[in-house]
Amino acid sequence: MTVSGFTFNAFSENTYLLHDATKQCVVIDPGCYEKAEQQALKAFIEAEGLQIVLLLNTHCHIDHVFGNQFILDTYQVPFLIHEADLSVLRAVPTYAPSYGFPLYNPAEPTGFLTPGKPVTFGETTLEVRFAPGHAPGHVVFYHAPTETVIGGDVLFQGSIGRTDLPGAIMIRSLKAFVPNSLPSPIR
């Protein structure tokens, strides 16, 4: 499996394309808001000869969902989120203009992710792990053969995501996900 990453929008959000030798590809958290960002993503997909087969969100905060409708319009693929994040996704249009994003185009999922039920594409299988805390329906995608985690905003290089959000239980999620990997000060 190959992971190609892009940094998009004013939040510097990470968008990922996961693809394998079959050229089938999954788009995770498309944060492409500006037309130029959308075209850059599309140009990469075309240049690599990738076939987009699925759209996934780790969670549905504004910076991770900007490009959902663009992907759906362009590639007509299934779009999956965790059901607990549906209200988070549906709230984005109510505040996007006040954040300076008046052109946000909302998208509705076509189905829901189930933790423990894998997501497959091409020759690749991703584990879906529930990691609420940063968002109520936050999930991470784990590829066991390469030990790759697409963690949304739960894990960052050398850090963790915010733990002060309403209903935040992220420390508990992190301990369940990587119990022996957390530094001792994290409780």
Side-chain angles (χ1 to χ4, degrees):
M1 180 186 73
T2 301
V3 178
S4 300
F6 300 83
T7 302
F8 289 136
N9 70 58
F11 293 99
S12 296
E13 181 270 348
N14 294 312
T15 296
Y16 295 102
L17 300 179
L18 279 54
H19 42 104
D20 62 22
T22 69
K23 296 290 189 176
Q24 288 196 359
C25 179
V26 171
V27 179
I28 301 178
D29 293 347
C32 46
Y33 177 77
E34 300 289 338
K35 199 60 114 175
E37 294 172 335
Q38 295 169 356
Q39 293 311 311
L41 186 63
K42 186 177 178 185
F44 179 87
I45 291 165
E46 290 173 359
E48 295 295 317
L50 301 177
Q51 175 193 4
I52 305 303
V53 296
L54 191 59
L55 168 59
L56 304 172
N57 283 154
T58 58
H59 67 295
C60 296
H61 287 157
I62 188 170
D63 53 327
H64 291 254
V65 302
F66 282 137
N68 284 345
Q69 192 60 52
F70 167 74
I71 296 297
L72 294 175
D73 289 344
T74 306
Y75 302 104
Q76 295 82 46
V77 295
F79 167 35
L80 307 176
I81 66 170
H82 190 283
E83 190 169 15
D85 244 33
L86 187 58
S87 63
V88 176
L89 178 66
R90 288 181 173 163
V92 174
T94 66
Y95 66 85
S98 66
Y99 273 52
F101 300 99
L103 302 178
Y104 170 67
N105 191 5
E108 279 290 310
T110 58
F112 297 107
L113 296 162
T114 303
K117 182 179 177 189
V119 170
T120 60
F121 63 97
E123 300 169 341
T124 303
T125 299
L126 302 173
E127 294 177 30
V128 178
R129 297 186 180 181
F130 191 45
H134 181 74
H138 202 301
V139 296
V140 299
F141 301 102
Y142 179 65
H143 184 248
T146 60
E147 297 183 330
T148 300
V149 175
I150 304 298
D153 285 348
V154 172
L155 293 172
F156 298 105
Q157 185 172 348
S159 184
I160 62 173
R162 291 179 60 190
T163 60
D164 62 332
L165 299 173
I169 55 168
M170 196 167 72
I171 296 299
R172 191 173 353 150
S173 292
L174 286 167
K175 284 184 175 185
F177 185 62
V178 284
N180 299 318
S181 301
L182 294 175
S184 56
I186 297 178
R187 307 216 186 272

